[in-house]
Amino acid sequence: MMFQSSKTLLCLAVLSFVAGSSSAETTTVHRAELLSISSQRGSHSDQDFSVLNTVDQTGSQNDWDTYVEFTGQGNRQRYKGTFQYQVPADMNLDDVTTLSLNINYLGDAMASTKWDWLIRNWNTRRWETIGDNRGVSSWTWSALQFDIDTDGGNLGQHYVSSSGRISVRLQTRNGDSGDDPNVVCDLDQMALHLKVETARTTTTATTTTPTTTTTATTTTPTT
């Protein structure tokens, strides 16, 4: 009698691990805190300046409690005032890519009275003009936005003081004749926003679970 030998085949799947990563930018917008308004020439109304954080007025609305009024003085009806903002203490200034000044304006069109907005450059010790009231409709609430590209981390070097302050100026020069005795503008919003972009890396992984397969050959007697 003869026996045929049996065979067992063991197959083991190899555990695999495949990892990959991708990069993306996360954008966050922060609002700098408005600390104070001071009028060096002319005057401003006494509403709480926190009303300048948001937009409340549109069209020809006139809710006195929701905006601040700025008035020129002298025979040329000039105004000059400074707004002080505080940058968040935990912000990395190198990550700030854009400063945006958002304004809701009510007043004369630029052809009648030109209003300018300037920002203090602490490096050069000069005021830099960032925008004006061109393009607005006379005495209709108009949204304005002035963007400052920080050019890869120059925010702290140029526009933020050693105490974390950003200074913005509002001013007007009403020409030489002084023929308008009531040069005013109303601001419903004057908010300074900082856009921060940070790189984010995402890692993905794929695994294969090991399996075992056994194949047996039956032993069969032969004669």
Side-chain angles (χ1 to χ4, degrees):
M1 179 181 293
M2 297 179 61
F3 294 87
Q4 181 177 334
S5 61
S6 62
K7 295 181 180 180
T8 301
L9 179 62
L10 178 65
C11 298
L12 180 65
V14 178
L15 174 66
S16 64
F17 179 87
V18 180
S21 62
S22 60
S23 297
E25 286 189 343
T26 300
T27 300
T28 308
V29 177
H30 302 268
R31 178 172 52 81
E33 181 184 2
L34 178 57
L35 299 178
S36 65
I37 305 172
S38 59
S39 294
Q40 291 82 48
R41 183 184 295 124
S43 61
H44 62 275
S45 57
D46 60 359
Q47 290 90 330
D48 191 313
F49 50 76
S50 64
V51 301
L52 297 178
N53 291 333
T54 58
V55 174
D56 297 294
Q57 302 290 281
T58 59
S60 58
Q61 290 179 331
N62 186 21
D63 184 350
W64 175 254
D65 293 331
T66 66
Y67 61 82
V68 180
E69 187 164 88
F70 301 85
T71 305
Q73 74 173 24
N75 63 342
R76 297 185 182 180
Q77 283 290 295
R78 293 183 174 183
Y79 177 84
K80 181 171 70 175
T82 303
F83 298 68
Q84 296 285 353
Y85 296 87
Q86 181 71 45
V87 173
D90 58 351
M91 177 177 292
N92 184 352
L93 296 179
D94 290 338
D95 292 333
V96 177
T97 59
T98 307
L99 282 173
S100 296
L101 186 63
N102 296 96
I103 298 161
N104 197 25
Y105 166 90
L106 180 70
D108 286 332
M110 193 174 73
S112 298
T113 306
K114 185 173 184 283
W115 290 86
D116 294 300
W117 284 264
L118 305 90
I119 190 169
R120 179 70 171 177
N121 187 322
W122 298 100
N123 189 37
T124 63
R125 298 181 181 180
R126 295 179 180 274
W127 290 93
E128 299 177 358
T129 301
I130 57 176
D132 53 40
N133 61 328
R134 70 184 61 205
V136 305
S137 298
S138 182
W139 292 101
T140 299
W141 287 107
S142 302
L144 298 169
Q145 179 171 318
F146 308 133
D147 293 330
I148 306 167
D149 187 349
T150 62
D151 192 23
N154 70 6
L155 172 66
Q157 179 183 359
H158 294 292
Y159 303 121
V160 181
S161 71
S162 58
S163 59
R165 303 283 179 88
I166 296 177
S167 295
V168 176
R169 175 180 287 177
L170 171 66
Q171 67 181 30
T172 184
R173 296 182 177 91
N174 192 42
D176 296 331
S177 64
D179 54 356
D180 186 350
N182 297 304
V183 172
V184 300
C185 81
D186 300 331
L187 297 183
D188 172 48
Q189 182 190 37
M190 188 159 156
L192 185 65
H193 294 100
L194 303 94
K195 184 170 73 173
V196 175
E197 292 186 358
T198 54
R200 181 185 63 187
T201 301
T202 303
T203 301
T204 58
T206 303
T207 60
T208 303
T209 304
T211 58
T212 302
T213 303
T214 303
T215 303
T217 302
T218 304
T219 303
T220 305
T222 60
T223 55

